Amino acid sequence: MIIRSKKSSDIPSSEITPPEVYLERRRFIREAGLGLATLALGSTALSNEVAGQSQEIPARFRTIKSELGEELNSYRDITTYNNFYEFGTDKRDPSRNSGDFEPKPWTVSIEGHVNKPGNYKLDDILAPVTMEDRIYRLRCVEAWSMVIPWYGFPLSALIERVEPTGNAKFVRFETVYRPEQMPAQRTRVVLPWPYVEGLRMDEAMHPLTTLVTGVYGTELPNQNGAPLRLIVPWKYGFKGIKSIVKIEFVERMPTNTWKMANPFEYGFYSNVNPEVSHPRWSQARERRLPSLFKSYETLMFNGYSEEVSHLYTGMDLHRWK
Ligand code: MTE
């Protein structure tokens, strides 16, 4: 997601998995394999250590795979290789620099064309909804991907509750602005803050569109967008705005941060499409972490065509970024 163009030979170190992460994962897999006795102990036996803290993973994830039979990425992959530019641009920065971020208490402001606007406490938002594990591929526009067991609920449940009016054609989301806790927000060199994103109303209401509060059935770590982030699995990962404090129902297509930063490279729709290259690289293949190689073919709509292609009938998918 580098903004300025540069030579293709000049691959930033942040886009290559550091060997210690790779090797660490190999060690974890080996030990997990040897530790079957521990795994059999009960519901919270599969543990994974990140930044010196042991994270207990519910046992149900031992056997879960994606709907395409893909293995889940490890808790370590998911929580140490991140894009959260408010904490820095290196993939390790969010896990290293987000320790002081306070995701509790949390309030979301619901604004715009709705019958029930207001400041909603996160606990109040969560009270009536049914939480689910949702195993989705996350395909970053940078051509890496992971399979992640998110924990959350359909955005449509919240939208129905706040009752949008007929003028609500799009939904606009905003990340918290807290420069005292998010070091990169102290300058605007990286991106304009706060980070913003948007969806068309029918995209927002789609059953795959998820508001996420956890990963691997446990609380969402700060680096993954605590306490509330969006996941739209058929779109490039940057649509999945983190640490949301505002949801606004608007009439006109809102702008989004990466489109503002570089409209030649990023757009509003940003549907995963192997046939439409990024101006600086092909999107035909992807690197499934922790691999260093692009050994996976990218799937149209990230593999969710059957569910979502009808949303774009008549749209020239080669023209719309
Ligand atoms: N949200 C905010 N506020 N700031 C960001 O920098 N990065 C986006 C998205 N949401 C980003 C964000 C990008 S580019 C990606 S790929 C995903 O978050 C990464 O999510 P993950 O770190 O949980 O894998």
Side-chain angles (χ1 to χ4, degrees):
M1 301 284 280
I2 312 299
I3 299 165
R4 284 169 291 278
S5 297
K6 52 200 170 94
K7 297 191 299 282
S8 58
S9 58
D10 192 5
I11 300 171
S13 59
S14 62
E15 290 186 18
I16 298 174
T17 306
E20 70 273 20
V21 175
Y22 183 72
L23 294 173
E24 181 57 24
R25 180 181 148 86
R26 294 296 298 268
R27 184 183 68 81
F28 171 70
I29 292 170
R30 206 171 52 240
E31 287 178 4
L34 292 174
L36 284 177
T38 327
L39 289 176
L41 277 177
S43 64
T44 59
L46 177 59
S47 83
N48 202 338
E49 198 174 300
V50 172
Q53 291 187 322
S54 184
Q55 180 61 55
E56 299 297 326
I57 303 292
R60 65 181 183 279
F61 294 104
R62 256 185 274 156
T63 50
I64 293 181
K65 294 198 164 69
S66 82
E67 85 289 3
L68 299 178
E70 300 152 303
E71 299 283 342
L72 307 187
N73 277 90
S74 71
Y75 184 84
R76 173 177 288 274
D77 288 340
I78 295 166
T79 59
T80 57
Y81 189 94
N82 297 102
N83 277 334
F84 200 167
Y85 276 25
E86 286 85 337
F87 295 106
T89 52
D90 190 274
K91 296 291 182 266
R92 302 270 259 174
D93 283 344
S95 53
R96 283 184 184 137
N97 301 338
S98 63
D100 291 338
F101 183 74
E102 288 170 11
K104 287 179 192 167
W106 197 262
T107 303
V108 180
S109 171
I110 308 273
E111 301 179 19
H113 297 290
V114 282
N115 289 329
K116 296 182 175 166
N119 288 317
Y120 287 70
K121 291 199 172 82
L122 182 56
D123 290 343
D124 178 33
I125 291 177
L126 300 181
V129 300
T130 308
M131 303 300 284
E132 305 160 29
D133 292 316
R134 292 189 162 209
I135 320 293
Y136 293 142
R137 286 168 290 286
L138 176 94
R139 171 58 159 84
C140 180
V141 75
E142 296 162 336
W144 54 264
S145 63
M146 293 195 229
V147 180
I148 303 184
W150 300 112
Y151 189 65
F153 63 97
L155 170 62
S156 64
L158 175 61
I159 295 183
E160 278 161 12
R161 179 170 165 197
V162 300
E163 297 178 11
T165 69
N167 290 331
K169 307 282 190 241
F170 294 88
V171 189
R172 180 183 177 277
F173 304 84
E174 202 173 294
T175 292
V176 71
Y177 180 68
R178 269 191 207 167
E180 68 286 5
Q181 291 177 14
M182 300 174 129
Q185 280 186 340
R186 290 174 207 150
T187 75
R188 294 171 76 84
V189 175
V190 184
L191 286 175
W193 313 114
Y195 194 99
V196 291
E197 257 305 337
L199 292 174
R200 214 169 58 188
M201 197 63 179
D202 57 348
E203 297 176 324
M205 288 297 292
H206 193 282
L208 290 182
T209 304
T210 307
L211 279 176
V212 162
T213 63
V215 63
Y216 265 108
T218 65
E219 224 165 59
L220 200 61
N222 289 345
Q223 59 268 35
N224 292 90
L228 186 73
R229 61 95 55 91
L230 182 71
I231 284 295
V232 194
W234 70 95
K235 293 179 179 285
Y236 289 115
F238 67 84
K239 298 294 290 182
I241 182 171
K242 296 179 167 180
S243 306
I244 298 168
V245 285
K246 185 160 139 185
I247 303 180
E248 192 179 0
F249 292 79
V250 297
E251 209 164 344
R252 292 182 194 289
M253 182 186 283
T255 192
N256 49 320
T257 291
W258 278 103
K259 185 175 164 187
M260 269 191 280
N262 191 339
F264 300 104
E265 300 195 348
Y266 307 106
F268 176 81
Y269 283 98
S270 312
N271 293 321
V272 175
N273 188 339
E275 293 167 18
V276 177
S277 295
H278 183 280
R280 289 182 281 127
W281 59 83
S282 160
Q283 294 289 25
R285 303 184 72 78
E286 67 198 54
R287 179 167 78 81
R288 176 67 47 84
L289 260 67
S291 168
L292 299 170
F293 305 104
K294 289 191 179 167
S295 40
Y296 278 72
E297 278 181 25
T298 292
L299 304 173
M300 186 65 195
F301 291 115
N302 202 22
Y304 305 99
S305 277
E306 216 172 285
E307 291 87 352
V308 302
S309 58
H310 68 275
L311 298 175
Y312 309 103
T313 308
M315 233 171 96
D316 180 354
L317 297 175
H318 287 88
R319 202 169 72 84
W320 286 93
K321 275 208 277 290

